[in-house]
Amino acid sequence: MKSSYLCLVAVMLSATAAGADQSFDFRLSPGPRLVGTRAQSSGAGQVHADLKGNVLTLSGTYHGLLAAPSAAQLMMGPLPGVRGPKLTDLTITLAANGTISGKVTLDRKAMAAFAKGGLYVEITSQPAPDGDLWGWVMPPSE
């Protein structure tokens, strides 16, 4: 009986730690390019992320794009640096300098990707459909 109680307490504590709220910032920088398309990318940005339970809220700014962005998305790759499918669209200013924001409820698979550093923000434009700016949603390691 005592060991069952201790196991239950351990499970509850680990679940609480895993679901702890987090706030952190990450950079947006030009996405990887083939040698011939490097001149078509520029800009930078900063995004603030808040994770409360399984709700991720993003807000930030970017500047210096060579063209107005056509879209911004939160994407989910299996690991940091590995591309993946779109989770959701983000709100973005359609200008070379602007703001980006969004809020999404992460399901179990997205939470697992978040824990591994697999979520990323991608801002695209007509000249750079594979991403003008990218930023990996990487919470600081403890």
Side-chain angles (χ1 to χ4, degrees), residues 31-41:
R33 296 281 190 277
L34 298 173
V35 172
T37 62
R38 286 192 184 142
Q40 297 173 348
S41 66

Side-chain angles (χ1 to χ4, degrees), residues 5-88:
Y5 174 75
L6 290 176
C7 285
L8 178 61
V9 169
V11 168
M12 290 174 63
L13 287 174
S14 66
T16 301
D21 294 347
Q22 298 180 44
S23 284
F24 55 94
D25 296 311
F26 61 93
R27 293 181 316 123
L28 297 174
S29 57
R33 296 281 190 277
L34 298 173
V35 172
T37 62
R38 286 192 184 142
Q40 297 173 348
S41 66
S42 69
Q46 184 81 15
V47 177
H48 179 76
D50 283 313
L51 181 68
K52 295 189 183 205
N54 67 334
V55 177
L56 180 65
T57 303
L58 303 169
S59 63
T61 60
Y62 64 90
H63 61 277
L65 296 181
L66 297 176
S70 52
Q73 296 108 6
L74 179 65
M75 313 288 277
M76 182 175 67
L79 296 169
V82 181
R83 297 185 68 175
K86 176 176 81 169
L87 277 180
T88 191

